[in-house]
Amino acid sequence: GDDNGKKANNPNHCNCIIDQIFTGGLQSDVTCQVCHGVSTTIDPFWDISLDLPGSSTPFWPLSPGSDGSVVNGESHVSGTTTLTDCLRRFTRPEHLGSSAKIKCSGCHSYQESTKQLTMKKLPIVACFHLKRFEHSAKLRRKITTYVSFPLELDMTPFMASSKESRMNGQYQQPTDSLNNDNKYSLFAVVNHQGTLESGHYTSFIRQHKDQWFKCDDAIITKASIKDVLDSEG
């Protein structure tokens, strides 16, 4: 396509195969706590980095269905953190506090505000990055918290269009569950063995619907779905 076509379809002005497949749009809504005016920006993303329980940052509570039920296709064992939990935390409203005041275009002054991230546009292939390597002034470590992830993931609760359906950061399931536009099927999982200082990466990849392989450098072996879903990620 010509340059104008590229700019219209892709804010990064890039039409390469990587951007076509992996680029999504992340919407950031900053709401003034005084006049409730909303400032919205949309930025490209190529992966979504998710905080984990066990890190030094406070973690969002587990979802209401964490008592052995199934949420978003994830088998929910009591006390287990799921990928949906991490996404719920990522898209929750966050109060920025008095030390991070932003100039409000409505009030024409610096005010406290809340910020919320949602998905404006989903990529063809979505990459979720679990932030297992923690670096802070006091410690450097790997977070080994087990995170359950599903074979099928519905991203509808985390879309900007679903924001109105949220109540205090909790998504209310819509009555219309026939929409498949925002659903993903698990294709690959990358795993890390070892510590921050030394380690080794392997991956599981799917060839056909239920045919999985483990890739360990030059060694490729068949794997079961249980092997994949039980892996650390």
Side-chain angles (χ1 to χ4, degrees):
D2 56 34
D3 287 340
N4 290 333
K6 290 180 183 178
K7 292 177 182 178
N9 296 324
N10 192 323
N12 312 305
H13 305 171
C14 179
N15 209 28
C16 67
I17 190 71
I18 297 299
D19 262 10
Q20 289 181 45
I21 293 174
F22 293 102
T23 304
L26 187 65
Q27 179 169 317
S28 173
D29 292 316
V30 177
T31 305
C32 174
Q33 293 299 282
V34 176
C35 71
H36 303 292
V38 180
S39 173
T40 299
T41 56
I42 300 172
D43 293 305
F45 71 86
W46 295 267
D47 54 40
I48 300 168
S49 291
L50 300 169
D51 288 318
L52 297 179
S55 67
S56 58
T57 55
F59 197 77
W60 192 243
L62 294 180
S63 60
S66 59
D67 53 357
S69 61
V70 174
V71 177
N72 207 350
E74 296 158 323
S75 56
H76 230 316
V77 181
S78 182
T80 299
T81 300
T82 71
L83 181 62
T84 302
D85 291 326
C86 297
L87 285 166
R88 183 179 292 109
R89 184 189 188 280
F90 181 79
T91 56
R92 83 199 190 286
E94 177 186 5
H95 185 65
L96 298 179
S98 58
S99 60
K101 289 184 177 181
I102 294 176
K103 189 169 185 178
C104 173
S105 58
C107 299
H108 303 291
S109 61
Y110 287 90
Q111 305 288 1
E112 291 190 24
S113 56
T114 59
K115 178 181 179 180
Q116 184 172 12
L117 299 174
T118 50
M119 309 297 155
K120 177 65 176 178
K121 176 181 177 293
L122 292 174
I124 295 173
V125 176
C127 291
F128 301 102
H129 163 231
L130 303 180
K131 294 162 72 171
R132 293 199 177 277
F133 294 167
E134 182 172 31
H135 301 269
S136 66
K138 294 182 179 179
L139 61 113
R140 295 174 65 252
R141 65 187 179 120
K142 178 182 175 183
I143 300 170
T144 57
T145 304
Y146 173 70
V147 177
S148 168
F149 49 88
L151 287 170
E152 303 288 333
L153 177 68
D154 186 0
M155 288 292 288
T156 303
F158 313 110
M159 298 297 293
S161 56
S162 301
K163 187 180 175 184
E164 293 75 19
S165 301
R166 290 173 177 272
M167 298 293 290
N168 299 321
Q170 297 292 325
Y171 176 71
Q172 306 300 309
Q173 192 69 30
T175 54
D176 178 17
S177 59
L178 301 176
N179 185 4
N180 292 317
D181 291 349
N182 304 325
K183 292 185 178 178
Y184 286 91
S185 297
L186 187 67
F187 171 74
V189 181
V190 177
N191 290 284
H192 176 270
Q193 289 86 40
T195 64
L196 264 69
E197 288 72 29
S198 65
H200 180 60
Y201 285 98
T202 62
S203 66
F204 290 105
I205 58 168
R206 190 189 74 190
Q207 185 179 24
H208 300 296
K209 181 169 174 58
D210 294 320
Q211 193 168 8
W212 287 86
F213 290 89
K214 182 179 180 180
C215 303
D216 186 349
D217 290 342
I219 303 169
I220 313 296
T221 54
K222 281 191 174 183
S224 68
I225 292 178
K226 185 178 187 303
D227 293 333
V228 177
L229 296 180
D230 287 349
S231 64
E232 189 177 76

